[in-house]
Amino acid sequence: MTTDAADFGFEANVEQLLELMTHSVYSERDVFLRELISNAADACEKLRYEALSDAGLAAEAATPLITLALDKDKRTLTIIDNGVGMSRDELISALGSIANSGTRAFLDKIGAEKNDAAGSLIGRFGVGFYSAFMVADHVEVATRRAGSNEAWLWTSAGKGKYSIAPLDPALAPAVGTRVTLHLNADSDEFLDAWRLETIVREHSGAVATPIDLITAPGEEPKRIADGVALWTKSKSDITEEEYTDFYRQLSGQFDEPALTIHWRAEGRTEYTVLAFIPGARPLDLFDPARKSKSKLYVRRVLISRDADLLPPWLRFVRVVVDSADVPLNVSREVAQKSPAIAAIGKAIATRILQELTKLAENEPEKFAKVWENFGAVLKEGLHEDPARRDALFALARFASTKSDGKNRTLKDYVADLRENQTAIYYITGDDVKRLAASPQIEGFRARGVEVLLLDDSVDAFWVTSALGFDGKPFKSVTQGQADIDAIPRVDADETETPPPADMGVLVTALKETLVDYVEDVRISTRLTESAACLIASDKGLDRQLARLLAEHGQQAMLGKPVLEINAKHPAVAMLSTTLAQKGRDGATDGMYLLFDLARVADGEQPIDASAFVKRLGALIAKGV
Ligand code: ADP
Ligand code: MG
């Protein structure tokens, strides 16, 4: 017994550790192939690097190749590379100890990071190889170190033990390494050539080494990846067709991309981006998750197929990003929250906005199509991303009472302001045609004041969060008092109509009769042709916004509207007369009908459908 202080090494149960590794580090099993292929590609890279300083290796390094070979009878999948191979010592240190990455050691050896070879190596953590045990119950590695005549066979069942034996060089690969997986009972799927091809195309289709597949012993190899990632080529070497093919594969759509943006960013973080704006709306455009799905590669190995790099309002853009500077965690799943990722996502968003702005200026027709497809999504940014609002306002196109088929920009709108006009007026709803016919905009039209006709749900939101454009606030024509009296009418002689008789009695009667349904009744300045319309009260929410919120369970938002009546309208004048002659009871039907007319014009049901039908029937009976 001793009481002296002492240091101890942790005791690890290797078998359990391996079990843990193979069952919990990765979220999907497919990735074992990515790991083994990236090791093979690393091995080819390493050999090329060593050949730079050792002319004797040059011949062996000449044509790097990875071959996958299937043998259904033996239930094996073999991954063969003609890379650097491993000596006995390297086998022990690289495959015999977990989390002891040979690649890491290699990087340290060559003084790393800034170097070309270093830049293209993928390994870092020294755990990838063990993912083989997710699908295999027995793994053999036959290998020959470049420049050596000895060959070795490493075997393990992944249960904490392995063995190494000398291998007859005649049975070893001439150059490089052969990893044979004896697939376990759950892994039949990986004996299927088509399945393998799909995984390779998805995860490793871009690695810098070509990949062949031999579907059965004795078959000719078939090239399934050409060893050149499209985005690494220079733009001038890529045809339109190649871009389109790539886009179709990436998006799973069959349209032509509306815009292809391909660039390489240099600076603090270096990365290459290939981004496409689809020519048609993807099916999941309005998926409630609103996640962007970018493909993120690190040194041409796929790390994430749905990295959420872009803001939700750019989720329709199909993006591939390849960076050497993205920090990975052990399972190679990216830390999405990392500052490097965030910075890249921001830079991409900025660039996409720039390119869209250019497109809008130079090819307005093409841009119009993009806006038609994705404007509703881009406008979400107006609400959510104040920092991007100006850029998005510059892109935004709107239907308006002046658009006449061609959409208008806010700049157009402001350039056409009428004398004494102080706000940008809009009406929201879900159908431009109906909006254009809304009674609420009559008075604006009569004064030549343009009204934006906003028909996407998101419109109801950004108009309240964006403070204005060019110093002019956004103002709903269906809310509050219309402040347009000071704007002269364009149809000047309209003012000649005789001033309406006193309507005070009618207004009071309406208020009292409809007390359960309206907050107030007033004489309108915004109506010219219709008899009545509904307006949101000054303190309440815009009616369309309130309706949207009510659809999502917030009924309380839908307050009582204000009924505005057109004192110059014959129906209103008649109602006023009826009231004077027959009293309140005699005018009740007329008052309800007037109110229901305003509701119907707003796209709503009459208050009481059967009563409405009766009243209308009685009216027809009087001879209309
Ligand atoms: P990492 O790739 O992160 O270094 P791995 O567990 O994937 O970790 O591989 C461990 C080490 O085994 C590698 O770093 C490399 O030195 C060695 N290795 C694995 N596969 C091969 C191969 N096909 N050829 C040469 N060396 C290999
Ligand atoms: Mg590896």
Side-chain angles (χ1 to χ4, degrees):
M1 281 277 276
T2 169
T3 51
D4 289 347
D7 291 333
F8 295 95
F10 285 108
E11 279 183 32
N13 179 329
V14 178
E15 194 172 327
Q16 273 177 6
L17 201 60
L18 271 175
E19 178 79 13
L20 198 71
M21 274 284 320
T22 52
H23 291 95
S24 48
V25 169
Y26 298 99
S27 52
E28 33 168 340
R29 293 202 316 160
D30 292 8
V31 301
F32 81 91
L33 197 57
R34 169 190 76 185
E35 293 296 339
L36 296 179
I37 287 175
S38 68
N39 284 351
D42 277 358
C44 293
E45 255 338 287
K46 286 181 198 171
L47 179 58
R48 246 188 30 190
Y49 178 80
E50 292 196 0
L52 293 178
S53 53
D54 183 346
L57 297 178
E60 296 185 356
T63 44
L65 178 68
I66 298 169
T67 306
L68 310 179
L70 279 171
D71 187 332
K72 283 202 177 111
D73 297 338
K74 291 193 180 138
R75 294 184 54 80
T76 58
L77 164 59
T78 307
I79 297 100
I80 307 152
D81 66 70
N82 56 5
V84 71
M86 284 171 277
S87 66
R88 186 172 184 277
D89 286 351
E90 284 168 333
L91 271 175
I92 294 171
S93 67
L95 301 187
S97 51
I98 299 173
N100 184 12
S101 170
T103 301
R104 181 86 256 173
F106 179 78
L107 287 177
D108 293 344
K109 198 172 99 193
I110 62 174
E113 308 295 340
K114 339 174 234 337
N115 192 290
D116 261 4
S120 51
L121 295 170
I122 311 151
R124 279 293 148 97
F125 298 101
V127 297
F129 176 79
Y130 300 95
S131 63
F133 292 106
M134 292 195 294
V135 298
D137 42 32
H138 186 77
V139 176
E140 289 163 13
V141 180
T143 184
R144 193 182 68 84
R145 181 69 167 87
S148 153
N149 294 321
E150 294 172 341
W152 302 95
L153 183 66
W154 180 101
T155 53
S156 175
K159 299 249 187 276
K161 290 204 172 57
Y162 65 93
S163 60
I164 298 179
L167 179 66
D168 178 354
L171 299 176
V175 181
T177 304
R178 184 173 66 223
V179 178
T180 305
L181 310 180
H182 295 266
L183 295 173
N184 61 30
D186 292 339
S187 300
D188 284 350
E189 56 184 305
F190 303 113
L191 287 169
D192 178 31
W194 186 79
R195 176 92 171 84
L196 278 192
E197 230 180 285
T198 313
I199 303 175
V200 169
R201 196 162 289 139
E202 166 114 271
H203 288 281
S204 313
V207 294
T209 312
I211 302 173
D212 281 359
L213 174 65
I214 300 175
T215 53
E219 291 291 317
E220 282 297 303
K222 170 186 167 198
R223 177 82 20 124
I224 56 173
D226 68 359
V228 196
L230 186 74
W231 61 85
T232 61
K233 297 185 190 171
S234 90
K235 271 202 247 187
S236 52
D237 293 342
I238 306 175
T239 65
E240 201 77 12
E241 220 170 27
E242 284 175 304
Y243 274 131
T244 301
D245 277 353
F246 186 87
Y247 159 76
R248 289 181 176 162
Q249 221 177 309
L250 179 68
S251 63
Q253 297 193 179
F254 295 97
D255 51 311
E256 302 268 333
L259 187 63
T260 303
I261 320 169
H262 182 187
W263 80 99
R264 191 177 158 65
E266 324 238 317
R268 261 233 312 270
T269 33
E270 299 197 352
Y271 53 89
T272 304
V273 181
L274 181 48
F276 300 95
I277 300 208
R281 286 181 165 196
L283 290 174
D284 61 353
L285 189 61
F286 291 104
D287 186 272
R290 303 171 65 241
K291 288 237 182 306
S292 72
K293 290 195 194 94
S294 306
K295 277 198 168 180
L296 178 63
Y297 289 78
V298 171
R299 298 176 198 94
R300 286 172 294 292
V301 169
L302 182 65
I303 300 304
S304 169
R305 96 167 58 95
D306 48 14
D308 188 14
L309 291 180
L310 299 179
W313 48 271
L314 280 177
R315 62 184 175 276
F316 57 89
V317 187
R318 298 293 161 230
V319 180
V320 170
V321 187
D322 189 352
S323 173
D325 299 330
V326 171
L328 299 177
N329 59 22
V330 168
S331 59
R332 288 188 207 290
E333 275 147 22
V334 234
Q336 297 250 1
K337 301 257 146 42
S338 88
I341 296 263
I344 291 177
K346 256 193 163 155
I348 296 177
T350 303
R351 177 65 182 254
I352 290 172
L353 282 182
Q354 282 167 359
E355 296 290 335
L356 282 173
T357 310
K358 257 195 253 166
L359 188 71
E361 278 161 17
N362 303 334
E363 294 176 81
E365 313 246 294
K366 242 177 160 182
F367 177 78
K369 187 90 189 101
V370 171
W371 185 260
E372 188 187 318
N373 282 331
F374 304 114
V377 178
L378 284 164
K379 280 189 286 188
E380 292 171 15
L382 290 172
H383 182 56
E384 292 169 356
D385 218 336
R388 304 280 192 190
R389 203 172 277 149
D390 286 343
L392 286 169
F393 270 152
L395 291 179
R397 300 290 187 270
F398 303 101
S400 87
T401 46
K402 285 194 186 164
S403 60
D404 202 18
K406 199 173 156 288
N407 282 343
R408 305 261 293 166
T409 64
L410 290 179
K411 238 168 122 188
D412 296 338
Y413 185 106
V414 170
D416 274 3
L417 282 188
R418 293 272 292 144
E419 174 187 348
N420 294 338
Q421 184 182 347
T422 53
I424 296 173
Y425 293 100
Y426 67 86
I427 181 167
T428 55
D430 29 47
D431 174 24
V432 166
K433 268 214 200 96
R434 248 209 40 220
L435 289 176
S438 302
Q440 289 96 335
I441 64 176
E442 289 168 4
F444 293 84
R445 206 175 243 141
R447 290 174 174 79
V449 174
E450 182 170 12
V451 177
L452 302 177
L453 309 172
L454 307 178
D455 65 337
D456 290 313
S457 338
V458 61
D459 291 321
F461 295 90
W462 67 260
V463 287
T464 60
S465 52
L467 296 175
F469 176 80
D470 201 18
K472 313 282 177 301
F474 294 103
K475 203 153 183 312
S476 166
V477 301
T478 63
Q479 177 172 33
Q481 301 272 15
D483 48 1
I484 48 175
D485 285 344
I487 304 172
R489 294 185 62 136
V490 280
D491 48 352
D493 51 31
E494 270 286 321
T495 46
E496 304 303 318
T497 47
D502 179 29
M503 288 280 158
V505 185
L506 178 59
V507 168
T508 311
L510 281 166
K511 258 189 227 178
E512 286 170 10
T513 308
L514 301 170
V515 65
D516 290 341
Y517 310 111
V518 301
E519 190 196 81
D520 198 7
V521 177
R522 55 188 184 223
I523 306 289
S524 183
T525 54
R526 77 191 89 211
L527 292 174
T528 58
E529 286 148 47
S530 301
C533 71
L534 297 177
I535 297 295
S537 80
D538 307 74
K539 28 189 201 319
L541 288 178
D542 175 67
R543 304 209 359 109
Q544 173 69 3
L545 179 57
R547 246 178 245 141
L548 287 169
L549 293 173
E551 271 169 28
H552 290 88
Q554 289 174 270
Q555 286 296 341
M557 292 307 200
L558 206 53
K560 285 190 224 167
V562 172
L563 175 67
E564 284 198 359
I565 58 171
N566 180 359
K568 292 177 195 161
H569 195 281
V572 174
M574 187 52 152
L575 192 55
S576 174
T577 310
T578 309
L579 185 65
Q581 292 172 352
K582 301 191 187 163
R584 189 76 62 91
D585 284 348
T588 303
D589 282 345
M591 290 193 281
Y592 271 105
L593 273 176
L594 189 68
F595 177 52
D596 281 339
L597 282 185
R599 284 180 63 90
V600 171
D602 238 20
E604 286 176 31
Q605 300 279 341
I607 282 291
D608 174 345
S610 70
F612 174 74
V613 168
K614 261 191 220 137
R615 285 175 186 133
L616 214 51
L619 196 61
I620 297 169
K622 281 184 192 158
V624 270

